[in-house]
């Protein structure tokens, strides 16, 4: 661990274990600066110049605590909606019942500086327009009644097989090679055993792009209407934001594990004459454009750009697979730069494998340390390995370094029948509950 990180995170956690958010961090940071100033004179007098020579190279923007922000910070719990494909999304019961359980056990919903909340999703193409509108309205109603924040988490590309107008047209499917071999199912590395999802959509198919525009505008208009009412009531902080993406990427073929994207490349005029590096660069650019297509249409429909977030996964998350592929291919062309855009803030999956969070913070620092979010994560690794020793440390590594949302996967995941799965104890143990209250 870097010296700069230790000097910030450990002091904050040990001296003020409850100071994880907002102006609480400001008080701690002021205390740290004061104590450092008091210690500086005797250190110099003792001629311990070597100390600073060692410290300087280890300190970077990625390791320093971010400057306190005046905006609300949110601790969210992802709630899977009724009707989600249960092979991928475990049931959690009705939204209102689950939110009641969260507020009962945590026993506080926070204030305008730091707010407890829930994220609803995935909002999928497989849902009808009417179901999507109803879900948004119901979620805002629960947020008002319980004084708890709400966010919406969009599946931007994955579950679309119920859209027969799109799924019946092979022009909307990706290819696994230049010959035009259609991929009929996508590999999901969401656990130790890969699972099967519908075919990878071709992100630059005209019909897909039109469907994205229409669905983003529908979601944006509904959220904008509800947000305007919240603002009139003086409760604007109850809207945490909208996450546009469910780890956006161009995935891998389920049957062969081959990288996809050849159809999209063909649509852009590329052929097998291009190098692999040229193709990688073009598909990275396409993933970024696809994220921006969603965020631009959400923003144009009335959702504030500073409340729109991307969601990618560019770190290993404990699920490295041995493939003879480039880095861009391994991460589905969702390299770190794709997360940042004009009409949205960056969001990442942050399961604490190796130095995942540190990698995220380093990428944020490269872009000037703007606010960012953990769009998905828990203090455990998807392969079952433990995360940080304490939930408080896991949260501090993000909230103390510019994160404005941490979205925990998940609350009562998989129901009572699987209450001892590794996700639930990590999220709902006594120490974790105490950390959530802070």
């Amino acid at each position: 661990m870097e010296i700069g990180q230790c000097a910030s995170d450990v002091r904050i956690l040990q001296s003020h274990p409850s100071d994880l958010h907002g102006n609480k961090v400001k008080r701690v940071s002021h205390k740290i600066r004061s104590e450092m100033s008091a210690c500086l004179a005797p250190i110099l007098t003792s001629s311990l110049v070597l100390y600073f020579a060692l410290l300087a190279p280890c300190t970077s923007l990625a390791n320093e605590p971010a400057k306190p922000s005046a905006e609300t910070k949110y601790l969210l719990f992802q709630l899977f909606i009724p009707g989600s494909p249960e092979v991928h999304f475990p049931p959690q019961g009705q939204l209102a019942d689950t939110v009641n359980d969260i507020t009962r056990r945590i026993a506080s919903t926070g204030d305008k500086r730091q707010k407890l909340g829930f994220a609803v999703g995935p909002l999928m193409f497989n849902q009808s327009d009417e179901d999507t509108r109803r879900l948004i309205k119901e979620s805002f109603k629960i947020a008002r009644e319980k004084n708890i924040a709400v966010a919406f988490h969009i599946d931007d590309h994955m579950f679309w097989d119920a859209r027969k107008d799109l799924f019946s047209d092979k022009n909307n499917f990706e290819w696994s090679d230049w010959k035009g071999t259609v991929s009929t199912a996508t590999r999901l590395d969401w656990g130790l055993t890969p699972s099967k999802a519908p075919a990878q959509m071709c992100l630059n198919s005209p019909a897909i792009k039109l469907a994205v525009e229409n669905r983003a505008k529908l979601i944006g208009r509904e959220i904008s209407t509800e947000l305007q009412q919240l603002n009139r009531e003086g409760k604007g902080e109850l809207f945490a934001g909208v996450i546009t993406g469910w780890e956006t990427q161009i995935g891998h073929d389920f049957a062969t594990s081959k990288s996809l994207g050849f159809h999209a490349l063909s649509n852009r005029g590329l052929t097998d004459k291009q190098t692999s590096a040229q193709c990688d660069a073009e598909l990275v650019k396409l993933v970024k454009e696809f994220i921006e297509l969603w965020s631009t249409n959400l923003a144009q429909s009335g959702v504030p750009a500073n409340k729109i977030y991307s969601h990618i996964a560019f770190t290993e998350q404990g699920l490295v697979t041995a493939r003879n592929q480039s880095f861009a291919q391994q991460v589905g062309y969702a390299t770190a730069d794709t997360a940042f855009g004009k009409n949205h803030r960056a969001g990442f999956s942050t399961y604490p494998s190796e130095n995942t969070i540190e990698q995220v913070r380093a990428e944020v620092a490269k872009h000037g340390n703007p606010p960012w979010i953990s769009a998905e994560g828990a203090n455990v690794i998807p392969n079952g390995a433990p995360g940080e020793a304490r939930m408080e440390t896991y949260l501090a590594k993000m909230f103390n370094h510019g994160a404005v949302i941490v979205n925990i996967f998940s609350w009562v995941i998989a129901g009572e029948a699987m209450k001892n799965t590794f996700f639930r104890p990590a999220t709902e143990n006594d120490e974790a509950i105490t950390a959530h209250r802070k």
Side-chain angles (χ1 to χ4, degrees), residues 114-135:
Q114 49 199 46
K115 197 70 182 170
L116 183 68
F118 63 104
V120 179
L123 275 62
M124 303 171 286
F125 277 115
N126 277 356
Q127 294 153 339
S128 68
D129 289 355
E130 186 54 40
D131 284 344
T132 302
R133 291 190 187 96
R134 182 167 54 249
L135 180 62

Side-chain angles (χ1 to χ4, degrees), residues 211-268:
V212 168
E213 292 175 6
N214 290 337
R215 180 52 64 96
K217 288 175 180 176
L218 180 149
I219 294 172
R221 287 192 297 266
E222 293 298 319
I223 290 176
S224 178
T225 298
E226 295 286 347
L227 179 57
Q228 290 175 40
Q229 181 60 35
L230 282 180
N231 288 334
R232 286 192 291 269
E233 297 168 359
K235 300 178 180 179
E237 74 279 1
L238 294 186
F239 174 58
V242 55
I243 304 171
T244 175
W246 201 272
E247 295 187 339
T248 307
Q249 61 183 283
I250 300 173
H252 296 82
D253 181 69
F254 181 77
T256 65
S257 295
K258 288 182 179 180
S259 293
L260 303 173
F262 293 92
H263 194 173
L265 290 171
S266 179
N267 287 345
R268 291 174 89 111

Side-chain angles (χ1 to χ4, degrees), residues 223-392:
I223 290 176
S224 178
T225 298
E226 295 286 347
L227 179 57
Q228 290 175 40
Q229 181 60 35
L230 282 180
N231 288 334
R232 286 192 291 269
E233 297 168 359
K235 300 178 180 179
E237 74 279 1
L238 294 186
F239 174 58
V242 55
I243 304 171
T244 175
W246 201 272
E247 295 187 339
T248 307
Q249 61 183 283
I250 300 173
H252 296 82
D253 181 69
F254 181 77
T256 65
S257 295
K258 288 182 179 180
S259 293
L260 303 173
F262 293 92
H263 194 173
L265 290 171
S266 179
N267 287 345
R268 291 174 89 111
L270 279 73
T271 69
D272 59 0
K273 303 301 182 183
Q274 270 71 45
T275 67
S276 179
Q278 288 173 322
C279 293
D280 283 2
E282 200 65 28
L283 291 175
V284 167
K285 187 186 303 183
L286 175 59
V287 168
K288 185 176 179 67
E289 291 171 359
F290 187 72
I291 295 171
E292 290 172 345
L293 181 65
W294 275 97
S295 65
T296 298
N297 280 279
L298 286 166
Q300 290 176 350
S301 301
V303 182
N306 67 346
K307 291 286 190 176
I308 303 173
Y309 304 93
S310 62
H311 178 192
I312 68 165
F314 73 96
T315 61
E316 67 177 52
Q317 309 291 316
L319 296 171
V320 174
T321 54
R323 300 191 187 113
N324 184 24
Q325 297 175 332
S326 68
F327 174 74
Q329 292 166 358
Q330 290 177 39
V331 299
Y333 307 101
T335 58
D337 283 347
T338 64
F340 300 85
K342 179 181 177 180
N343 289 307
H344 62 268
R345 291 170 166 180
F348 308 93
S349 291
T350 60
Y351 296 101
S353 171
E354 298 295 333
N355 60 344
T356 288
I357 298 175
E358 288 76 13
Q359 290 181 61
V360 167
R361 286 172 8 193
E363 292 297 333
V364 172
K366 290 179 184 177
H367 289 79
N369 279 321
W372 60 280
I373 71 165
S374 167
E376 173 185 343
N379 190 27
V380 69
I381 302 168
N383 62 13
E388 301 291 342
R390 296 169 60 84
M391 174 65 83
E392 186 168 9

Side-chain angles (χ1 to χ4, degrees), residues 32 87 92 120 151 182-183 205 221 292 296 391 402 415 432 437:
I32 290 172
V87 64
Q92 289 175 297
V120 179
V182 174
S183 175
S205 157
R221 287 192 297 266
E292 290 172 345
T296 298
M391 174 65 83
R437 289 171 180 158

